Each structure stands twice: as structure tokens, then as C-alpha cells.
């Protein structure tokens, strides 16, 4: 059995562990390091419940070997909440976008990745982004409502900042 010493930064914490060549990232996170936000629904890349951000991109952590993630930055749905829930998590809760919640961590990670790359998606784009996330409970309508709400709130906040009479953005700002 070949093993590998790897390092990961998970939700801001540096971790060192030894994994077998075959160890999947989701199992390293859940079973070895006790980060249980990513769920295992299928272990075969279909359901999306295991989705995390790997160096900023949403990936299904059952499709990545832990050794492939050596040296990477991993964010789980627990890490999205920084004291308070992330706006996507709040919206999923308040728009009734979850029932059993098993898919919710993965959906939150997919949604936040979508909104980072496309801050103002339409409903078709939201549905397309969610294609890899299976939910057996909600019918998706309220999930899409929640993500659309975050996009709307972000757009409204941005346009309020840009209304006539507002001061110009600070020099060097990225406008995001
Ligand atoms: S457990 Fe990874 S996609 Fe289902
Ligand atoms: S809320 Fe139950 S699987 Fe999505």
C-alpha cells in the first residue's frame, strides 16, 4: 500500500495527513479530518452533495484523489459561514430551499461559485449551474429562488452605490 504525506488548508486551518493513493478527497475530509459538511450521496460524481471549493473552484470531492489536492486550499460549506451564514446559505434557509438538507452543502458551494463567476445569472443559468447537484426533496424551485434572490440583492446593492450623488468609488477599488 503506497501512502503519501499531504497538506491541505481546510476552512482556513492547515492540516497534515497521510493518505493512501486511492483515498478520495471527500473521505480525507470527512473520515480523517472530521470536516463533515461535504456529504456523500453517491461516491461516483453524480449527486454533487460532496461539492467543495478547491483553490476557489467548485469540485465534487469524490472525483478528486486526496493526493491530487496536496497543497491546496479547500473550503467546505461550513467554511462559507464566517460567524454569520453566507448570504447564499441565508437565502436557502429563508426561501425554503432545503428540506432534508442533505444536498444543501453541495448546492451552496455550487451557487457561490456560480455567483462569483456570474454575479447576475438568470434562472436558466442558475438551473444549468445546478445540473450536477441532485436534490430529492425540493423540486429546485425554491433553490433557484434563493440563488436568484442573492443575485438580485447584490445587483440592488451595487446599483445603490452607483446612484447619482454618491461619491466615486475609492481609487484602486475593484468595483466588486
Ligand atoms: S458523493 Fe460526490 S457526487 Fe455524489
Ligand atoms: S433538501 Fe433533501 S435532498 Fe435536497
Amino acid at each position: 500500500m503506497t501512502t503519501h504525506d499531504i497538506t491541505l488548508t481546510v476552512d482556513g486551518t492547515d492540516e497534515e495527513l497521510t493518505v493512501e493513493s486511492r483515498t478520495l478527497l471527500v473521505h480525507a475530509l470527512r473520515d480523517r479530518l472530521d470536516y463533515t459538511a461535504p456529504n456523500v450521496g453517491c461516491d461516483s460524481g453524480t449527486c454533487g452533495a460532496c461539492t467543495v471549493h478547491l483553490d476557489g473552484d467548485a469540485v465534487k470531492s469524490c472525483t478528486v484523489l486526496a493526493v491530487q489536492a496536496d497543497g491546496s486550499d479547500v473550503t467546505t460549506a461550513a467554511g462559507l459561514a464566517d460567524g454569520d451564514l453566507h448570504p447564499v446559505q441565508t437565502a436557502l434557509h429563508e426561501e425554503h430551499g432545503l428540506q432534508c438538507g442533505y444536498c444543501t452543502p453541495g448546492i451552496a458551494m455550487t451557487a457561490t461559485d456560480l455567483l462569483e463567476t456570474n454575479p447576475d445569472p438568470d434562472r436558466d443559468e442558475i438551473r444549468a449551474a445546478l445540473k450536477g447537484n441532485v436534490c430529492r426533496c425540493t423540486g429546485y424551485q425554491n433553490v433557484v429562488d434563493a440563488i436568484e434572490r442573492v443575485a438580485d440583492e447584490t445587483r440592488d446593492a451595487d446599483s445603490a452605490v452607483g446612484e447619482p450623488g454618491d461619491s466615486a468609488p475609492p481609487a484602486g477599488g475593484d468595483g466588486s
Side-chain angles (χ1 to χ4, degrees), residues 37-39 47-53 58 77 101-112 130 133:
N39 284 326
C47 74
C50 64
T51 303
V52 300
H53 290 180
Y102 202 81
C103 68
T104 308
I107 284 182
M109 303 316 286
T110 297
T112 48
L130 290 173
N133 292 84

Side-chain angles (χ1 to χ4, degrees), residues 26-168:
V26 67
H27 295 309
L29 292 170
R30 286 184 57 88
D31 304 336
R32 300 291 309 286
L33 299 173
D34 211 23
Y35 291 91
T36 55
N39 284 326
V40 178
C42 67
D43 243 350
S44 59
T46 302
C47 74
C50 64
T51 303
V52 300
H53 290 180
L54 184 63
D55 290 331
D57 294 323
V59 301
K60 295 177 176 180
S61 57
C62 75
T63 67
V64 179
L65 293 169
V67 71
Q68 290 177 294
D70 183 19
S72 296
D73 195 63
V74 178
T75 304
T76 74
L80 274 186
D82 183 18
D84 296 321
L85 290 179
H86 185 281
V88 165
Q89 294 170 314
T90 300
L92 284 167
H93 171 62
E94 293 183 353
E95 295 291 335
H96 307 290
L98 63 119
Q99 289 183 32
C100 79
Y102 202 81
C103 68
T104 308
I107 284 182
M109 303 316 286
T110 297
T112 48
D113 188 27
L114 167 67
L115 292 169
E116 281 166 17
T117 54
N118 178 8
D120 195 15
D122 62 28
R123 292 181 74 84
D124 287 343
E125 290 171 323
I126 294 170
R127 289 184 181 280
L130 290 173
K131 269 185 179 171
N133 292 84
V134 175
C135 176
R136 297 179 64 164
C137 304
T138 67
Y140 300 97
Q141 185 71 24
N142 291 0
V143 175
V144 175
D145 287 350
I147 298 168
E148 186 178 47
R149 166 179 152 174
V150 177
D152 289 347
E153 289 172 349
T154 303
R155 187 178 55 243
D156 291 349
D158 287 350
S159 62
V161 168
E163 281 177 356
D166 286 331
S167 57

